Amino acid sequence: MLDVDFLELDLKNKRVLIREDLNVPMKKGKILSNARLLAALPTIKHAVDNGAEVTVMSHLGRPRENLSIRDQPEFSLKPVVDRLEVLSGLSFELVSNYIDGFVRGKADVTVLENVRLNLGESTNNQLLSKRLAALCDIYVMDAFACAHRAHSSTTGIIRYAPISCSGPLLRKELDALRKALYAPKKPMLAIVGGSKVSTKLAVLESLVNQLDQLIVGGGIANTFLAAKGFDIGRSLYENDLLEFAADLYKKINIPLPTDVVVASGIKSDAQIRICNVSDIRVEEMIVDFGPESISRLKDFIACAGTILWNGPIGVFEIDKFEEGTKQIAEAIASSRAFSLAGGGDTLAAIERYGVNSGISYSSTGGGAFLEYVGGQTLPAVQELANQHNSKEYLR
Ligand code: 3PG
């Protein structure tokens, strides 16, 4: 047990302050995915149903600290609060001035305006942590997706709140990660895609000793192809990581694509063709795996006992370049393996192809997921463990 069990606590008439990660992807003020909101709601509902005075706090984006929300309205949690009402049937109220205490309205849940507006949040300021702690009787850290941030609202507060504990979502995330990483059903397969090797260095290094099979996709595969000496035209790759890729080959077999989709550019009206990897022209760039490579990847998926998936195979946001990511998402969803998916792009792909029910666990974490898989201890989890003298969940 990491700490006291939130679900066992008597919450009646207690001021319960829940840190969630409601940092949803947005475009022009519109929410693009409800995944983080839906993941947070069971914890919030549990507190409401058990008679607590419920307050929720979260960040949204990266606003400037100590600049008012009027000066940067795009960082307001207002659209999130509106969406939470629709999704939950509960009433929510957003308050902006709360740091020295606030008067509760009649709503079921009070939401504190973007915590990153508070001076000292991102530096884990002690005074701010104490002021946030003074707003509650029980603090619940439920925001796995920002447990890698040592901020006042995620970490500093844990020491000062009368009772601090992990929330059900944070635990569920850690349990799923531990199941995949420490007790994997074999063979264990990781599919690591996305644009850059540099953002996944720790993950690749940490996984390599545990895996039976590693597959790389997206721009990451380009760097591995270049390291093998293939001429990849104008494809994006990282020249300074060729040596890293060459070293990784010595530790684990990494089957590379044999055929690829190439295009004249990353745009929907680009000319495309499918070719062998040794046949890419100088003016072309790789935008997806070809059918033969996708089929081989699906064979690995069909045999796996555990699948860890992070990052797309191609530039799937453009219909013409989506086949690799789409087919892989569908194959993982229909496999019998325990499958764990994480990262913003990966979740977007899962939503786009409607395969969520087939994935054993979709993590809400992006950076937090990568840091945990990469072998790091998350500061908020460390602080909870310190407070409760527990070693469980530490890496
Ligand atoms: C995320 O989206 O990964 C989390 O909400 C953390 O956001 P941050 O990278 O701005 O800290």
Side-chain angles (χ1 to χ4, degrees):
M1 177 75 86
L2 171 63
D3 52 19
V4 293
D5 189 349
F6 169 66
L7 297 176
E8 299 285 315
L9 287 176
D10 176 10
L11 306 179
K12 192 142 184 68
N13 299 327
K14 302 268 174 35
R15 295 174 305 152
V16 173
L17 176 57
I18 307 172
R19 176 56 159 107
E20 292 291 355
D21 190 329
L22 309 177
N23 183 29
V24 289
M26 296 187 67
K27 202 169 186 182
K28 294 188 184 140
K30 275 190 67 184
I31 295 173
L32 300 180
S33 163
N34 290 328
R36 283 183 172 174
L37 310 186
L38 291 170
L41 275 173
T43 305
I44 298 170
K45 278 189 171 157
H46 173 85
V48 172
D49 291 346
N50 283 276
E53 288 183 12
V54 185
T55 303
V56 172
M57 61 177 168
S58 174
H59 69 287
L60 180 69
R62 295 177 178 172
R64 285 186 47 203
E65 273 189 12
N66 212 26
L67 198 62
S68 100
I69 197 67
R70 275 189 307 279
D71 298 322
Q72 35 185 353
E74 67 277 25
F75 294 108
S76 173
L77 282 167
K78 178 77 176 72
V80 170
V81 165
D82 292 345
R83 182 63 61 89
L84 281 170
E85 286 205 324
V86 174
L87 293 173
S88 68
L90 297 172
S91 54
F92 286 76
E93 177 190 30
L94 184 65
V95 297
S96 297
N97 297 318
Y98 52 82
I99 207 68
D100 292 314
F102 58 92
V103 180
R104 299 188 73 80
K106 287 203 166 59
D108 297 314
V109 182
T110 303
V111 178
L112 307 183
E113 185 58 284
N114 200 330
V115 280
R116 286 194 179 165
L117 297 167
N118 298 318
L119 188 62
E121 165 65 6
S122 61
T123 47
N124 199 13
N125 177 278
Q126 198 182 30
L127 190 62
L128 177 62
S129 303
K130 286 183 179 171
R131 288 166 98 185
L132 290 172
L135 301 176
C136 69
D137 303 310
I138 300 171
Y139 166 74
V140 186
M141 173 50 185
D142 204 32
F144 170 76
C146 53
H148 61 315
R149 300 291 182 219
H151 290 181
S152 283
S153 69
T154 59
T155 305
I157 184 174
I158 291 170
R159 185 171 305 180
Y160 303 111
I163 296 175
S164 292
C165 63
S166 58
L169 174 61
L170 176 64
R171 283 190 190 196
K172 211 159 72 163
E173 298 263 9
L174 294 172
D175 285 340
L177 278 159
R178 290 194 329 160
K179 185 169 173 188
L181 294 172
Y182 303 142
K185 215 170 118 212
K186 295 285 196 166
M188 182 179 180
L189 164 69
I191 302 170
V192 181
S195 52
K196 287 181 165 178
V197 180
S198 50
T199 57
K200 313 261 165 103
L201 280 180
V203 172
L204 291 167
E205 267 175 339
S206 165
L207 280 177
V208 96
N209 300 322
Q210 292 167 261
L211 291 175
D212 299 298
Q213 188 64 59
L214 172 64
I215 308 268
V216 289
I220 294 180
N222 298 347
T223 299
F224 281 80
L225 283 167
K228 280 273 187 212
F230 286 99
D231 200 338
I232 56 171
R234 290 197 303 122
S235 307
L236 300 173
Y237 79 104
E238 288 166 287
N239 195 38
D240 51 343
L241 288 170
L242 295 179
E243 213 173 303
F244 170 84
D247 281 348
L248 216 63
Y249 279 127
K250 291 181 197 146
K251 297 182 186 151
I252 190 166
N253 171 36
I254 306 171
L256 287 174
T258 46
D259 62 339
V260 286
V261 179
V262 288
S264 48
I266 300 184
K267 43 186 193 261
S268 51
D269 59 356
Q271 287 290 324
I272 63 168
R273 71 183 185 105
I274 294 165
C275 70
N276 191 285
V277 273
S278 51
D279 194 22
I280 301 168
R281 299 179 192 138
V282 276
E283 71 280 9
E284 291 175 328
M285 58 205 308
I286 303 172
V287 288
D288 199 4
F289 278 19
E292 186 182 279
S293 310
I294 295 173
S295 157
R296 197 155 53 112
L297 185 38
K298 281 161 75 176
D299 290 342
F300 283 117
I301 291 170
C303 299
T306 302
I307 303 169
L308 199 77
W309 179 28
N310 173 265
I313 298 302
V315 191
F316 74 102
E317 298 86 347
I318 296 176
D319 292 356
K320 278 179 176 174
F321 313 151
E322 73 171 350
E323 213 46 43
T325 308
K326 180 169 185 272
Q327 291 203 37
I328 267 50
E330 288 169 353
I332 295 174
S334 54
S335 91
R336 281 202 299 269
F338 177 76
S339 52
L340 175 61
D345 287 343
T346 315
L347 293 203
I350 289 171
E351 278 195 26
R352 183 175 164 117
Y353 305 121
V355 294
N356 195 39
S357 61
I359 309 288
S360 312
Y361 193 79
S362 295
S363 174
T364 56
F369 177 87
L370 289 178
E371 286 199 16
Y372 193 92
V373 176
Q376 295 181 43
T377 297
L378 307 179
V381 177
Q382 175 77 64
E383 191 58 35
L384 281 167
N386 291 351
Q387 287 306 304
H388 295 277
N389 281 327
S390 161
K391 288 209 166 46
E392 213 193 340
Y393 290 105
L394 297 184
R395 300 216 56 190

mmCIF file of all heavy atoms in Angstrom, residues 19 21-25 36 58-62 116 144-149 151 344 364-369, ligand 1:
data_model
loop_
_atom_site.group_PDB
_atom_site.id
_atom_site.type_symbol
_atom_site.label_atom_id
_atom_site.label_comp_id
_atom_site.label_asym_id
_atom_site.label_seq_id
_atom_site.Cartn_x
_atom_site.Cartn_y
_atom_site.Cartn_z
ATOM 1 N N ARG A 19 -6.279 17.071 -6.584
ATOM 2 C CA ARG A 19 -5.465 17.557 -7.718
ATOM 3 C C ARG A 19 -5.681 16.599 -8.870
ATOM 4 O O ARG A 19 -5.363 15.407 -8.782
ATOM 5 C CB ARG A 19 -3.975 17.596 -7.318
ATOM 6 C CG ARG A 19 -2.986 18.004 -8.450
ATOM 7 C CD ARG A 19 -3.311 19.331 -9.074
ATOM 8 N NE ARG A 19 -2.187 19.961 -9.769
ATOM 9 C CZ ARG A 19 -2.082 20.048 -11.115
ATOM 10 N NH1 ARG A 19 -2.992 19.517 -11.894
ATOM 11 N NH2 ARG A 19 -1.040 20.688 -11.642
ATOM 12 N N ASP A 21 -5.369 16.185 -13.328
ATOM 13 C CA ASP A 21 -4.757 16.780 -14.512
ATOM 14 C C ASP A 21 -5.862 16.975 -15.550
ATOM 15 O O ASP A 21 -6.234 16.046 -16.255
ATOM 16 C CB ASP A 21 -3.634 15.901 -15.072
ATOM 17 C CG ASP A 21 -2.859 16.656 -16.148
ATOM 18 O OD1 ASP A 21 -3.484 17.489 -16.837
ATOM 19 O OD2 ASP A 21 -1.645 16.439 -16.300
ATOM 20 N N LEU A 22 -6.389 18.204 -15.582
ATOM 21 C CA LEU A 22 -7.462 18.530 -16.536
ATOM 22 C C LEU A 22 -6.874 19.295 -17.727
ATOM 23 O O LEU A 22 -7.562 20.054 -18.407
ATOM 24 C CB LEU A 22 -8.552 19.364 -15.837
ATOM 25 C CG LEU A 22 -9.094 18.779 -14.518
ATOM 26 C CD1 LEU A 22 -10.107 19.735 -13.882
ATOM 27 C CD2 LEU A 22 -9.724 17.417 -14.738
ATOM 28 N N ASN A 23 -5.590 19.094 -17.917
ATOM 29 C CA ASN A 23 -4.871 19.768 -19.002
ATOM 30 C C ASN A 23 -5.183 19.061 -20.319
ATOM 31 O O ASN A 23 -4.415 18.221 -20.784
ATOM 32 C CB ASN A 23 -3.366 19.717 -18.693
ATOM 33 C CG ASN A 23 -2.540 20.462 -19.720
ATOM 34 O OD1 ASN A 23 -3.010 21.425 -20.326
ATOM 35 N ND2 ASN A 23 -1.311 20.000 -19.934
ATOM 36 N N VAL A 24 -6.337 19.408 -20.892
ATOM 37 C CA VAL A 24 -6.806 18.724 -22.101
ATOM 38 C C VAL A 24 -6.241 19.402 -23.349
ATOM 39 O O VAL A 24 -5.975 20.607 -23.334
ATOM 40 C CB VAL A 24 -8.356 18.752 -22.166
ATOM 41 C CG1 VAL A 24 -8.957 17.837 -21.133
ATOM 42 C CG2 VAL A 24 -8.898 20.174 -21.992
ATOM 43 N N PRO A 25 -6.068 18.634 -24.434
ATOM 44 C CA PRO A 25 -5.640 19.294 -25.672
ATOM 45 C C PRO A 25 -6.750 20.203 -26.196
ATOM 46 O O PRO A 25 -7.922 19.806 -26.202
ATOM 47 C CB PRO A 25 -5.387 18.116 -26.631
ATOM 48 C CG PRO A 25 -6.115 16.955 -26.045
ATOM 49 C CD PRO A 25 -6.236 17.190 -24.574
ATOM 50 N N ARG A 36 -8.904 12.791 -20.383
ATOM 51 C CA ARG A 36 -8.437 13.110 -19.027
ATOM 52 C C ARG A 36 -9.610 13.469 -18.107
ATOM 53 O O ARG A 36 -9.559 13.205 -16.909
ATOM 54 C CB ARG A 36 -7.414 14.249 -19.066
ATOM 55 C CG ARG A 36 -6.066 13.762 -19.531
ATOM 56 C CD ARG A 36 -5.025 14.846 -19.498
ATOM 57 N NE ARG A 36 -3.712 14.273 -19.782
ATOM 58 C CZ ARG A 36 -2.616 14.968 -19.943
ATOM 59 N NH1 ARG A 36 -2.643 16.289 -19.860
ATOM 60 N NH2 ARG A 36 -1.465 14.371 -20.195
ATOM 61 N N SER A 58 -6.299 22.112 -10.903
ATOM 62 C CA SER A 58 -5.547 21.609 -12.053
ATOM 63 C C SER A 58 -4.837 22.771 -12.738
ATOM 64 O O SER A 58 -5.170 23.934 -12.507
ATOM 65 C CB SER A 58 -6.501 20.961 -13.063
ATOM 66 O OG SER A 58 -5.799 20.594 -14.240
ATOM 67 N N HIS A 59 -3.894 22.411 -13.569
ATOM 68 C CA HIS A 59 -3.327 23.424 -14.462
ATOM 69 C C HIS A 59 -3.966 23.244 -15.835
ATOM 70 O O HIS A 59 -4.628 22.221 -16.094
ATOM 71 C CB HIS A 59 -1.799 23.296 -14.564
ATOM 72 C CG HIS A 59 -1.358 22.058 -15.289
ATOM 73 N ND1 HIS A 59 -1.441 20.797 -14.725
ATOM 74 C CD2 HIS A 59 -0.850 21.874 -16.536
ATOM 75 C CE1 HIS A 59 -0.986 19.900 -15.588
ATOM 76 N NE2 HIS A 59 -0.626 20.525 -16.701
ATOM 77 N N LEU A 60 -3.766 24.205 -16.705
ATOM 78 C CA LEU A 60 -4.127 24.070 -18.117
ATOM 79 C C LEU A 60 -3.055 24.818 -18.900
ATOM 80 O O LEU A 60 -2.903 26.036 -18.749
ATOM 81 C CB LEU A 60 -5.515 24.665 -18.393
ATOM 82 C CG LEU A 60 -5.983 24.563 -19.850
ATOM 83 C CD1 LEU A 60 -6.282 23.123 -20.240
ATOM 84 C CD2 LEU A 60 -7.226 25.412 -20.094
ATOM 85 N N GLY A 61 -2.317 24.098 -19.695
ATOM 86 C CA GLY A 61 -1.245 24.721 -20.474
ATOM 87 C C GLY A 61 -0.145 25.283 -19.590
ATOM 88 O O GLY A 61 0.027 24.859 -18.442
ATOM 89 N N ARG A 62 0.572 26.233 -20.139
ATOM 90 C CA ARG A 62 1.693 26.824 -19.401
ATOM 91 C C ARG A 62 1.555 28.345 -19.365
ATOM 92 O O ARG A 62 2.270 29.065 -20.084
ATOM 93 C CB ARG A 62 3.013 26.414 -20.039
ATOM 94 C CG ARG A 62 3.259 24.923 -19.931
ATOM 95 C CD ARG A 62 4.522 24.507 -20.608
ATOM 96 N NE ARG A 62 4.747 23.075 -20.436
ATOM 97 C CZ ARG A 62 5.687 22.386 -21.043
ATOM 98 N NH1 ARG A 62 6.508 23.000 -21.879
ATOM 99 N NH2 ARG A 62 5.833 21.099 -20.825
ATOM 100 N N ARG A 116 -1.446 27.147 -12.117
ATOM 101 C CA ARG A 116 -0.152 27.678 -12.573
ATOM 102 C C ARG A 116 -0.129 29.210 -12.659
ATOM 103 O O ARG A 116 0.880 29.798 -13.043
ATOM 104 C CB ARG A 116 0.236 27.063 -13.921
ATOM 105 C CG ARG A 116 0.682 25.636 -13.774
ATOM 106 C CD ARG A 116 1.372 25.099 -14.988
ATOM 107 N NE ARG A 116 1.791 23.728 -14.753
ATOM 108 C CZ ARG A 116 2.168 22.886 -15.698
ATOM 109 N NH1 ARG A 116 2.175 23.292 -16.957
ATOM 110 N NH2 ARG A 116 2.546 21.673 -15.400
ATOM 111 N N PHE A 144 -1.961 11.604 -12.130
ATOM 112 C CA PHE A 144 -0.776 10.873 -12.590
ATOM 113 C C PHE A 144 -0.035 11.653 -13.677
ATOM 114 O O PHE A 144 1.194 11.712 -13.689
ATOM 115 C CB PHE A 144 -1.167 9.491 -13.139
ATOM 116 C CG PHE A 144 -0.025 8.815 -13.836
ATOM 117 C CD1 PHE A 144 0.998 8.246 -13.098
ATOM 118 C CD2 PHE A 144 0.058 8.786 -15.221
ATOM 119 C CE1 PHE A 144 2.088 7.661 -13.732
ATOM 120 C CE2 PHE A 144 1.144 8.210 -15.869
ATOM 121 C CZ PHE A 144 2.156 7.644 -15.116
ATOM 122 N N ALA A 145 -0.801 12.279 -14.583
ATOM 123 C CA ALA A 145 -0.183 12.906 -15.761
ATOM 124 C C ALA A 145 0.731 14.077 -15.414
ATOM 125 O O ALA A 145 1.516 14.516 -16.248
ATOM 126 C CB ALA A 145 -1.262 13.341 -16.744
ATOM 127 N N CYS A 146 0.633 14.600 -14.182
ATOM 128 C CA CYS A 146 1.636 15.614 -13.808
ATOM 129 C C CYS A 146 2.330 15.238 -12.489
ATOM 130 O O CYS A 146 2.870 16.113 -11.807
ATOM 131 C CB CYS A 146 1.087 17.034 -13.815
ATOM 132 S SG CYS A 146 -0.365 17.277 -12.867
ATOM 133 N N ALA A 147 2.365 13.956 -12.191
ATOM 134 C CA ALA A 147 3.093 13.488 -10.995
ATOM 135 C C ALA A 147 4.605 13.622 -11.185
ATOM 136 O O ALA A 147 5.374 13.476 -10.234
ATOM 137 C CB ALA A 147 2.730 12.037 -10.692
ATOM 138 N N HIS A 148 5.039 13.897 -12.432
ATOM 139 C CA HIS A 148 6.481 14.093 -12.678
ATOM 140 C C HIS A 148 6.883 15.551 -12.462
ATOM 141 O O HIS A 148 8.046 15.895 -12.640
ATOM 142 C CB HIS A 148 6.861 13.639 -14.090
ATOM 143 C CG HIS A 148 6.169 14.390 -15.199
ATOM 144 N ND1 HIS A 148 4.818 14.678 -15.183
ATOM 145 C CD2 HIS A 148 6.644 14.918 -16.361
ATOM 146 C CE1 HIS A 148 4.491 15.339 -16.283
ATOM 147 N NE2 HIS A 148 5.593 15.496 -17.006
ATOM 148 N N ARG A 149 5.924 16.390 -12.100
ATOM 149 C CA ARG A 149 6.233 17.798 -11.833
ATOM 150 C C ARG A 149 6.305 18.025 -10.328
ATOM 151 O O ARG A 149 5.317 17.797 -9.623
ATOM 152 C CB ARG A 149 5.141 18.700 -12.416
ATOM 153 C CG ARG A 149 4.960 18.565 -13.924
ATOM 154 C CD ARG A 149 6.146 19.108 -14.664
ATOM 155 N NE ARG A 149 5.970 19.029 -16.104
ATOM 156 C CZ ARG A 149 6.937 18.702 -16.953
ATOM 157 N NH1 ARG A 149 8.142 18.415 -16.514
ATOM 158 N NH2 ARG A 149 6.721 18.673 -18.244
ATOM 159 N N HIS A 151 5.762 20.361 -8.285
ATOM 160 C CA HIS A 151 5.130 21.670 -8.140
ATOM 161 C C HIS A 151 4.402 21.724 -6.794
ATOM 162 O O HIS A 151 4.193 20.694 -6.144
ATOM 163 C CB HIS A 151 4.137 21.900 -9.284
ATOM 164 C CG HIS A 151 4.794 22.088 -10.624
ATOM 165 N ND1 HIS A 151 4.093 22.327 -11.785
ATOM 166 C CD2 HIS A 151 6.097 22.081 -10.994
ATOM 167 C CE1 HIS A 151 4.933 22.457 -12.803
ATOM 168 N NE2 HIS A 151 6.161 22.306 -12.348
ATOM 169 N N GLY A 344 0.351 11.551 -25.463
ATOM 170 C CA GLY A 344 -0.709 12.337 -26.090
ATOM 171 C C GLY A 344 -1.085 11.859 -27.483
ATOM 172 O O GLY A 344 -2.262 11.633 -27.786
ATOM 173 N N THR A 364 -3.285 8.264 -18.881
ATOM 174 C CA THR A 364 -3.528 9.686 -19.158
ATOM 175 C C THR A 364 -2.208 10.447 -19.263
ATOM 176 O O THR A 364 -2.193 11.616 -19.612
ATOM 177 C CB THR A 364 -4.358 10.341 -18.027
ATOM 178 O OG1 THR A 364 -3.671 10.140 -16.791
ATOM 179 C CG2 THR A 364 -5.755 9.753 -17.951
ATOM 180 N N GLY A 365 -1.125 9.794 -18.933
ATOM 181 C CA GLY A 365 0.172 10.480 -18.867
ATOM 182 C C GLY A 365 0.864 10.612 -20.207
ATOM 183 O O GLY A 365 0.799 9.716 -21.046
ATOM 184 N N GLY A 366 1.513 11.738 -20.404
ATOM 185 C CA GLY A 366 2.409 11.936 -21.537
ATOM 186 C C GLY A 366 3.825 11.869 -20.997
ATOM 187 O O GLY A 366 4.454 10.812 -20.942
ATOM 188 N N GLY A 367 4.307 13.042 -20.521
ATOM 189 C CA GLY A 367 5.653 13.106 -19.938
ATOM 190 C C GLY A 367 5.798 12.190 -18.729
ATOM 191 O O GLY A 367 6.838 11.541 -18.554
ATOM 192 N N ALA A 368 4.756 12.108 -17.901
ATOM 193 C CA ALA A 368 4.838 11.280 -16.691
ATOM 194 C C ALA A 368 4.986 9.808 -17.066
ATOM 195 O O ALA A 368 5.766 9.067 -16.457
ATOM 196 C CB ALA A 368 3.592 11.475 -15.837
ATOM 197 N N PHE A 369 4.256 9.395 -18.081
ATOM 198 C CA PHE A 369 4.321 8.011 -18.564
ATOM 199 C C PHE A 369 5.743 7.699 -19.031
ATOM 200 O O PHE A 369 6.338 6.690 -18.660
ATOM 201 C CB PHE A 369 3.315 7.848 -19.706
ATOM 202 C CG PHE A 369 3.293 6.500 -20.366
ATOM 203 C CD1 PHE A 369 2.504 5.479 -19.862
ATOM 204 C CD2 PHE A 369 4.042 6.257 -21.511
ATOM 205 C CE1 PHE A 369 2.469 4.235 -20.485
ATOM 206 C CE2 PHE A 369 4.012 5.025 -22.137
ATOM 207 C CZ PHE A 369 3.214 4.011 -21.622
HETATM 208 C C1 3PG B 1 0.933 16.796 -19.713
HETATM 209 O O1 3PG B 1 0.099 17.216 -20.541
HETATM 210 O O2 3PG B 1 1.821 15.978 -20.016
HETATM 211 C C2 3PG B 1 0.778 17.221 -18.290
HETATM 212 O O3 3PG B 1 -0.414 17.889 -18.080
HETATM 213 C C3 3PG B 1 1.951 18.040 -17.833
HETATM 214 O O4 3PG B 1 1.989 19.248 -18.508
HETATM 215 P P1 3PG B 1 3.362 20.094 -18.567
HETATM 216 O O5 3PG B 1 4.283 19.352 -19.479
HETATM 217 O O6 3PG B 1 2.978 21.441 -19.045
HETATM 218 O O7 3PG B 1 3.910 20.104 -17.158
#
